[in-house]
């Protein structure tokens, strides 16, 4: 039966209202449309049946996604109908879209507005504007403040099933087949009974001793004592389990029975202690949680295989685990017996965390983003502080799905409906347009009314104050408008502008010689203005522009940076570039310091991200007393394999001339204690070696510039090997070698190619380069070129493919290499729908204090977007933009010349580029 009020006056009024309204009151169950997995409903057919038997009309919006079939609602007396405007009360699970709200109705759902959540404030504004009465299930609480309407139990049940499935996958990745492999994800079962049977079957195998001995006893820790924790424990009980006290974990984790699993339920008093005296006082903790700390990281976590977290974190309360805790917990466990081949030991005790609370950045500090039902697991690598979507590699398996009950939608619906049902009638018997004061709600229902009659209710007026204080804080943070001058509008400018224009407090001026590109940029971004000018040729105008801005970002060729830097010094304006800190720039060091400005260089990909990834690894190695004995880094911007369809296996996503000139640079590197010098002029191409770390890509690499100069900045002066190089597809270097033989990679001035002289054809130019008199017959020229190429057929084919023996005009340029660059840019562009790729591999050899060696491998692979930014643009542009924003916000305040070698610079940048899709992975090989 439906509930009535406990107090007499309420009961009379309630039943009078019931007699007057019940034959015309209409309830509607709205369709859930928040995401594909949301198959729940707030009420099940059995609840609809009881309502209709009492004379209420129940409308159910049609939905093929809903787990409970429409015919069951029809059988219960419900009416399947799209139009629910007749209803006085509309119930759902999740929030409806703003454009589907109906004015002056009663709505009940989880609104997620009580903390003034910014994402849901537009919804709340629309509810107020349409004078809707909003009941929020989250605030339906009893006299003790405990929630009376929730899905909590089923979050626990589903979460426990999922993490057992995840453990099966994780154990397999670590070399162990376990009974958990036969447990699926929660949504793979028709109901929880089927899931229980699967868990029992796994438990039976465990009881037979079929768990690998080398994994040791398994321990599960449940935090919290509410419905979430109880639901998880209910599923855990299907295993052969024994619950122990937290202080007994240490013993059972070492010498427990392998034919069972162990569990413990953690309450506050088990791990919280006052900082000054090590005691726990519950009343004092409630008043002053900031005076307490948690011993979970030292007393519980080291003996935990799997943590099932069901507690939310409040500001100023201790966390269960921090990032630093995770690093310590993931230190490899050493066994006296040692591992046996084929029967490996676990790398560390803590293997998995199921954070059912899905409270990002909460009690588990490093759980910074939720996983999903589609992608339920990720690995947290505390050593590198990265999260990757996998069950392999090093780290902790994480599962933090924020809509777990949706995996068992029928039972979750029935459970939730049972809890909600006693309160439905009193919500149903009121009209949303009537004053709230005239409603005889119970305290449970009244206290859950967030908004009514166009206003926040008295209890929730604080939401507006929270919004105002947040907006005020944001306005203080924003301060006055900040002005940025961006020089250049090429490939990289897109990501730079896209990132910086997210902040409406930044105004950007783009100066470039490319008029068409400027027009496109100003159309795309409202807070961007353009200046059409040649920066190099108009120094005075450049100086005037610099003076009007707070920061300059130069995407010009590196040779222009000293000029720009001088203007920044004169006007005391900070500067950020992605290019190398060249000798010409280093000469300005004293002037930069005297001006009190920040000049940041090497903030792109290579140089840039390569430095940051290296220093992150090197600094962490030094923290544990290890020394770096070798460092090798190779990086390349390439077409994706399917688009490498030309003799060079290359297409241009950045400066073509720079690519060509890199092949004739000199290079210096250290290998096995010996310094190797490669002279300029093309000898570099003879130092090419195959790169097989990604065998499917068929790569080759060659040294890049002077690698030895990084020994001191990296702090690895004792390393016996230090090499930085460039990656290309196999065959690139051989083809480029042909161009060198022909004199095409020549940067010297060549007056015959000037725009003021009669144009030459490629055929005429090639005749001059091979020493025959033009005009020559095609076959004569071809034979002369073939001879110059030392009879190399593949090199000749490349020359012919590019049309260098034909009658096409040579582009006007200052040099032959400049003309070839322009020609190649036209011949080798990325076509529509084609994408590029960035490949970087860092290999760092470490010697630990124990004497054992470790090879650390860091891989970065990024693909361009077909209809978006290239991989090169992203990996150069986003780090540059992030660094610029950090300077504007005062996060980088060091004066002088800066490159990203310190933690306060590289740390935030590496974390923030992940959000832009630039994700790297690491793995190690330990040598005894």
């Amino acid at each position: 039966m439906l509930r009535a009020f406990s107090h007499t006056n309420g009961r009379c009024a309630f039943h009078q209202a019931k007699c007057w309204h019940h034959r015309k009151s209409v309830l509607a169950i709205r369709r859930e449309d928040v995401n594909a997995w949301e198959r729940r409903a707030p009420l099940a057919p059995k609840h609809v049946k009881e309502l209709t038997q009492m004379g209420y009309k129940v409308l159910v919006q049609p939905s093929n996604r809903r787990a409970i079939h429409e015919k069951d609602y029809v059988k219960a007396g419900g009416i399947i109908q799209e139009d629910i405007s007749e209803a006085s009360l509309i119930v759902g699970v999740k929030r409806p879209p703003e454009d589907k709200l109906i004015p002056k109705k009663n709505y009940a759902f989880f609104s997620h507005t009580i903390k003034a959540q910014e994402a849901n404030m537009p919804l709340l504004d629309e509810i107020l504007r349409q004078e809707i009465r909003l009941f929020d299930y989250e605030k339906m609480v009893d006299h003790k403040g405990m929630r009376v309407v929730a899905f909590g139990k089923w979050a626990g049940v589903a979460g426990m099933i999922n993490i057992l499935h995840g453990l099966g996958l994780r154990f397999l990745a670590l070399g162990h087949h376990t009974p958990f492999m036969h447990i699926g994800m929660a949504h793979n079962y028709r109901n929880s009974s089927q899931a229980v049977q699967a868990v029992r079957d796994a438990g039976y195998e465990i009881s037979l001793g079929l768990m690998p001995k080398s994994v040791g006893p398994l321990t599960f820790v449940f935090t919290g004592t509410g419905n979430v924790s109880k639901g998880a424990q209910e599923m855990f009980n299907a295993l052969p389990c024994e619950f122990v006290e937290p202080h007994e974990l240490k013993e059972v984790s070492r010498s427990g029975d392998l034919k069972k699993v162990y569990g413990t339920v953690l309450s506050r008093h088990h791990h919280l202690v006052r900082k000054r005296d090590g005691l726990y006082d519950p009343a004092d903790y409630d008043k002053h949680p900031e005076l307490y700390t948690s011993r979970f990281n030292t007393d519980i976590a080291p003996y935990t295989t799997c943590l099932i977290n069901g507690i939310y974190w409040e500001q100023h309360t201790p966390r269960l685990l921090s990032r630093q805790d995770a690093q310590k917990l993931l230190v490899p466990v050493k066994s006296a017996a040692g591992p046996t081949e084929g029967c490996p030991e676990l790398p560390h005790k803590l293997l998995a965390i199921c954070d059912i609370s899905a409270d990002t950045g909460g009690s588990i500090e490093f759980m910074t983003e939720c996983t999903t039902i589609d992608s339920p697991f990720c690995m947290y690598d505390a050593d590198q502080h990265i999260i990757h979507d996998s069950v392999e590699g090093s780290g902790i398996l994480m599962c933090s799905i924020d809509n777990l009950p949706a995996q068992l939608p029928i039972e979750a619906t029935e459970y939730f409906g049972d809890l909600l049902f006693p309160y439905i009638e009193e919500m149903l018997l009121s009209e949303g347009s009537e004053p709230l004061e005239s409603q005889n709600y119970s305290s449970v229902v009244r206290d859950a009314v967030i908004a009514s009659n166009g206003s926040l209710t008295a209890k929730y007026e604080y939401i507006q104050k929270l919004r105002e204080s947040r907006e005020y804080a944001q306005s203080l943070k924003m301060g006055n408008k900040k002005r940025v001058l961006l020089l250049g509008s090429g490939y990289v400018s897109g990501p730079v502008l896209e990132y910086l224009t997210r902040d409406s407090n930044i105004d950007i001026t783009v100066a470039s010689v490319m008029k068409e590109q400027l027009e496109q940029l100003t159309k795309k971004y409202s807070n961007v203005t353009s200046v059409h000018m040649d920066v190099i040729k108009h120094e005075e105008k450049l100086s005037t522009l610099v003076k009007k801005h707070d920061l300059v970002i130069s995407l010009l060729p590196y040779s222009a940076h000293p000029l720009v830097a001088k203007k920044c010094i004169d006007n005391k304006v900070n500067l950020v570039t992605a290019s190398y800190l060249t000798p010409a720039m280093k000469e300005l060091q004293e002037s930069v310091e005297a001006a009190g400005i920040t000049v940041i260089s090497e903030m792109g990909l290579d140089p840039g991200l390569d430095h940051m990834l290296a220093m992150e690894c090197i600094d962490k190695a030094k923290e544990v007393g290890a020394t770096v004995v070798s460092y090798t880094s190779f990086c390349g911007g390439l077409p994706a394999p399917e688009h490498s369809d030309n003799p060079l296996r290359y297409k241009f996503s950045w400066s073509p001339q720079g690519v060509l000139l890199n092949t004739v640079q000199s290079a210096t590197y250290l290998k096995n204690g010996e310094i190797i010098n490669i002279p300029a002029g093309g000898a570099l191409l003879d130092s090419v070696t195959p790169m097989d770390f990604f065998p499917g890509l068929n790569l080759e690499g060659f040294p890049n510039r002077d690698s030895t100069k990084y020994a001191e900045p990296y702090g690895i002066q004792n390393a016996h090997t230090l090499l930085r190089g460039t990656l290309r597809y196999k065959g690139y270097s051989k083809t480029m070698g042909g161009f060198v033989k022909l004199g095409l990679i020549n940067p010297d001035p060549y007056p015959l190619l000037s725009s003021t002289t009669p144009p030459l054809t490629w055929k005429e130019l090639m005749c001059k380069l091979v020493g025959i008199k033009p005009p020559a017959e095609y076959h004569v020229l071809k034979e002369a070129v073939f001879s110059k190429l030392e009879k190399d057929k593949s090199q000749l084919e490349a020359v012919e493919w590019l049309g260098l023996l034909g009658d096409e005009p040579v582009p006007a340029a200052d040099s032959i290499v400049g003309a070839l660059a322009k020609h190649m840019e036209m011949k080798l562009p990325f076509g529509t729908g084609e994408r590029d790729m960035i490949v970087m591999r860092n290999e760092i050899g470490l010697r630990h204090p124990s004497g054992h060696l470790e090879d650390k491998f860091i891989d970065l692979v990024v693909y361009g977007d077909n209809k978006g930014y290239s991989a090169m643009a992203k990996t150069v542009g986003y780090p540059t933009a992030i660094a610029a924003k950090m300077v504007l916000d005062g996060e980088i305040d060091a004066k002088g010349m800066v490159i990203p070698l310190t933690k306060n610079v590289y740390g935030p940048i590496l974390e923030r580029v992940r959000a832009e899709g630039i994700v790297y992975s690491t793995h190690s090989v330990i040598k005894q």
Side-chain angles (χ1 to χ4, degrees), residues 357-596:
S357 75
D359 186 16
T360 55
S363 54
I364 311 295
E365 183 187 28
F366 47 85
M367 199 288 281
T368 55
E369 54 188 80
C370 291
T371 57
T372 65
I373 297 174
D374 294 307
S375 300
F377 305 111
C378 64
M379 293 294 298
Y380 174 68
D381 184 344
D383 184 35
Q384 296 295 328
H385 186 51
I386 58 173
I387 295 174
H388 49 95
D389 185 11
S390 173
V391 296
E392 299 181 349
S394 60
I396 304 171
L397 181 76
M398 304 287 291
C399 181
S400 52
I401 300 169
D402 63 1
N403 58 338
L404 285 166
Q407 292 185 274
L408 296 166
I410 295 177
E411 289 164 293
T413 294
E414 291 175 344
Y415 175 85
F416 185 83
D418 287 345
L419 297 175
L420 175 62
F421 187 69
Y423 305 97
I424 283 290
E425 192 173 23
E426 58 183 290
M427 291 190 278
L428 180 57
L429 291 178
S430 65
E431 292 292 336
S433 58
E434 296 171 351
L436 180 61
E437 296 74 19
S438 67
Q439 308 305 310
N440 290 296
Y441 294 141
S442 65
S443 60
V444 171
V445 172
R446 179 176 293 278
D447 288 347
V449 179
I450 306 292
S452 183
N453 310 106
S455 302
L456 292 169
T457 58
K459 186 174 181 180
Y460 298 99
E461 287 175 349
Y462 73 85
I463 293 176
Q464 182 58 31
K465 293 177 182 176
L466 275 180
R467 293 179 71 178
E468 290 171 356
S469 80
R470 182 178 63 223
E471 289 165 3
Y472 176 69
Q474 287 174 343
S475 69
L476 286 179
K477 186 178 179 181
M478 301 288 270
N480 296 323
K481 285 267 187 180
K482 295 170 183 175
R483 298 157 300 171
V484 173
L485 173 62
L486 177 63
L487 303 178
S489 59
Y491 296 113
V492 176
S493 63
V496 173
L497 288 171
E498 189 277 326
Y499 187 88
L500 292 177
T501 53
R502 296 175 195 174
D503 187 342
S504 58
N505 196 43
I506 297 176
D507 283 335
I508 302 173
T509 303
V510 184
S512 172
V513 74
M514 309 298 289
K515 188 173 183 180
E516 188 175 329
Q517 290 178 349
L518 285 174
E519 290 173 353
Q520 292 174 351
L521 292 173
T522 51
K523 284 179 184 177
K524 188 173 182 179
Y525 301 105
S526 58
N527 51 339
V528 170
T529 56
S530 65
V531 176
H532 182 225
M533 64 174 285
D534 187 327
V535 171
I536 306 302
K537 293 180 180 178
H538 297 88
E539 288 190 35
E540 192 172 329
K541 190 173 182 181
L542 172 62
S543 186
T544 302
L545 269 178
V546 169
K547 189 174 184 178
K548 294 177 180 177
H549 293 82
D550 301 305
L551 177 109
V552 176
I553 302 172
S554 178
L555 301 179
L556 301 172
Y558 70 88
S559 57
H561 291 159
L563 169 64
V564 175
K566 288 173 184 176
K567 302 303 178 187
C568 290
I569 292 167
D570 293 342
N571 294 287
K572 293 182 169 52
V573 174
N574 297 320
L575 171 65
V576 176
T577 83
S579 302
Y580 280 102
L581 181 59
T582 60
M585 286 289 283
K586 286 182 179 178
E587 289 177 3
L588 302 174
Q589 170 78 23
E590 290 185 8
S591 299
V592 168
E593 292 176 354

Side-chain angles (χ1 to χ4, degrees), residues 57 135 211 223 269 337 384 386 452 514 722 728 832 861:
K57 184 176 180 180
F135 301 94
M211 280 293 293
T223 60
H269 68 276
Q384 296 295 328
I386 58 173
S452 183
M514 309 298 289
L722 179 52
R728 294 288 183 261
T832 303
V861 179

Side-chain angles (χ1 to χ4, degrees), residues 578 601-616 631 633 635 714 724 838 840 842 858 860 862 871-880 882 900-901 906 908-914 917-920:
S601 301
E602 307 195 9
M603 195 51 79
L605 168 67
D606 176 5
L609 289 176
D610 56 345
H611 293 329
M612 300 183 224
L613 294 174
M615 290 309 303
E616 183 180 51
Y631 171 77
S633 176
C635 180
Y714 281 10
R724 289 161 47 87
I838 293 299
M840 181 188 291
N842 283 357
I858 306 169
L860 173 66
V862 180
M872 182 65 75
K874 289 191 288 188
T875 52
V876 175
Y878 282 123
T880 300
I882 292 167
L901 300 180
Y906 70 67
I909 294 176
L910 288 178
E911 190 168 344
R912 292 168 198 177
V913 295
R914 286 186 64 254
I918 302 171
V919 181
Y920 58 95

Side-chain angles (χ1 to χ4, degrees), residues 293-314:
T293 187
S294 172
R295 286 183 177 167
F296 180 83
N297 62 330
T298 56
D299 294 0
I300 310 294
Y303 317 110
T304 303
T305 306
C306 179
L307 168 64
I308 295 91
N309 183 42
I311 58 174
Y312 285 91
W313 180 71
E314 297 279 344

